[in-house]
Amino acid sequence: MPAVNLKLERQSWPMRGVFTISRGSRTEQEVLMVRLDDGSFQGRGECVPYKRYGESFESVMAEIESLRGSLSAGLDREALQELLPAGAARNGLDCALWDLEAKRSGKRAWELAGIPAPEGVVSAYTLSLDTPEKMGEAAKANAQRPLLKLKLAGPEDLDRVRAVRANAPDSTVIVDANEGWSLLQYRDLAPKLAELGVALIEQPLHADMDDALLGEDRPVPLCADESCHDRASLPKLKGKYDIANIKLDKAGGLTEALALKEAALAEGYGIMIGCMMATSLAMAPAMLLAQGADYTDLDGPLWIAEDNQPAIAFSGSVMAPPEAALWG
């Protein structure tokens, strides 16, 4: 194999307004593009360092830079899994290696993975955390979307869901507390959200405290997000969750994410495919995972004012498979 040159590019993408979850707000999203160039072909990946998991741009870039020599010597995806832990750094490199391999072989990434060609999927559209009134207005403006995901935080959450339900009566509604509830809040809210027809509750308790869910009633299916990273996470989900949220940045790339999806399905978990806020370059490999998933939440490009080109095409909430020029 020819020597591979590594290039890292920290990018900032403005967003369509303020995006708020229980941990804070942002008006722009920074991502790290990983580019691998062998002189004839170029592979790209995108990752998002996440402070919640102890990551920073500096730490992630240092992890990737530590493998510059290995990349020049022909590092492949299989070897990468042993050299870096699950996280953003491995994701960026792993996805870039998939893309490079696809370009070199003249095949699409799904052919390399041995899975059928992806079809279009319906993505959730996220309603940023806000007052019940403003979330109701946002729901009314997006009432034609089949799947709405609400960011919640604790106080006023029931009023938020009621406002959304009143303004988007035909949409399936799922909610994400981003670890923002206490056990008492969960016990109070879960049956009331079931009455309102909420289809799923994502990560109600902090990942370090979710043993409290053992033995609790689950009137609405529970989805593990911050509690689910890679296959090593699965034993800790038993008895607490019904669905696993698989994200490339948590799993450490498509290679592990595909294995995690297979293992989670074998253990009887439903599947959600999620994302960090990022561009179409980050969503493209996740489209392979989204095939057959119970829920897809890859609406990052809809929240970003500009996007990598060629971007994934959205028709309402339906995502088209990525072009080869974008990724894979």
Side-chain angles (χ1 to χ4, degrees), residues 32 46 59 99 161 175 209 222 227 274 307 309:
L32 182 64
E46 183 175 290
S59 69
D99 191 31
V161 177
V175 303
M209 303 174 64
L222 292 187
S227 292
D307 198 357
Q309 298 298 323

Side-chain angles (χ1 to χ4, degrees), residues 1 7 20 30-31 46 48 88 93 97 115 135 169-170 220 251 253:
M1 288 290 185
K7 181 179 179 181
T20 303
E30 287 193 294
V31 305
E46 183 175 290
V48 181
L93 271 178
L97 285 166
I115 60 178
M135 291 186 75
D170 297 327
V220 178

Side-chain angles (χ1 to χ4, degrees), residues 57-324:
F57 276 90
E58 292 73 22
S59 69
V60 167
M61 292 172 74
E63 282 187 276
I64 297 173
E65 285 285 357
S66 72
L67 297 182
R68 183 179 288 274
S70 298
L71 288 164
S72 296
L75 176 70
D76 61 18
R77 288 186 289 106
E78 288 70 23
L80 173 64
Q81 309 308 306
E82 303 300 321
L83 295 178
L84 290 182
R90 195 175 76 190
N91 176 39
L93 271 178
D94 185 73
C95 290
L97 285 166
W98 274 99
D99 191 31
L100 182 61
E101 185 177 347
K103 301 290 193 297
R104 283 171 165 172
S105 67
K107 297 180 179 180
R108 297 304 306 267
W110 52 83
E111 296 179 85
L112 300 177
I115 60 178
E119 299 178 351
V121 296
V122 174
S123 174
Y125 181 77
T126 304
L127 301 185
S128 173
L129 178 65
D130 212 321
T131 65
E133 294 75 19
K134 290 187 176 180
M135 291 186 75
E137 292 171 5
K140 186 174 183 179
N142 290 281
Q144 79 284 0
R145 297 186 184 274
L147 180 60
L148 295 177
K149 176 174 172 175
L150 283 57
K151 291 293 188 179
L152 300 181
E156 296 189 290
D157 278 349
L158 192 58
D159 289 337
R160 291 182 174 103
V161 177
R162 284 172 174 157
V164 168
R165 175 51 74 210
N167 284 281
D170 297 327
S171 300
T172 297
V173 172
I174 61 179
V175 303
D176 183 6
N178 282 116
E179 305 179 287
W181 292 353
S182 68
L183 181 61
L184 290 178
Q185 285 173 316
Y186 169 75
R187 287 173 174 169
D188 177 57
L189 288 169
K192 296 173 182 176
L193 295 181
E195 292 174 3
L196 288 168
V198 170
L200 174 147
I201 297 172
E202 193 175 344
Q203 198 69 43
L205 307 186
H206 193 282
D208 293 339
M209 303 174 64
D210 69 353
D211 280 352
L213 293 171
L214 290 167
E216 291 290 326
D217 290 336
R218 299 200 294 273
V220 178
L222 292 187
C223 178
D225 181 0
E226 286 85 351
S227 292
C228 179
H229 289 246
D230 56 8
R231 281 172 289 176
S233 304
L234 288 177
K236 301 176 184 177
L237 306 185
K238 191 173 182 179
K240 309 175 193 176
Y241 298 99
D242 308 285
I243 297 172
N245 187 341
I246 301 173
K247 294 179 179 176
L248 293 172
D249 275 310
K250 293 187 302 174
L254 181 61
T255 302
E256 173 61 23
L258 287 167
L260 171 58
K261 180 181 178 182
E262 182 179 1
L265 287 170
E267 294 193 21
Y269 291 100
I271 301 295
M272 173 184 251
I273 304 303
C275 65
M276 304 304 187
M277 191 65 69
T279 77
S280 285
L281 180 57
M283 305 305 129
M287 284 284 290
L288 275 63
L289 292 168
Q291 305 302 303
D294 297 279
Y295 297 97
T296 295
D297 178 24
L298 298 177
D299 63 342
L302 297 179
W303 269 93
I304 293 176
E306 299 177 7
D307 198 357
N308 263 305
Q309 298 298 323
I312 286 178
F314 279 81
S315 177
S317 292
V318 179
M319 306 175 66
E323 298 179 25

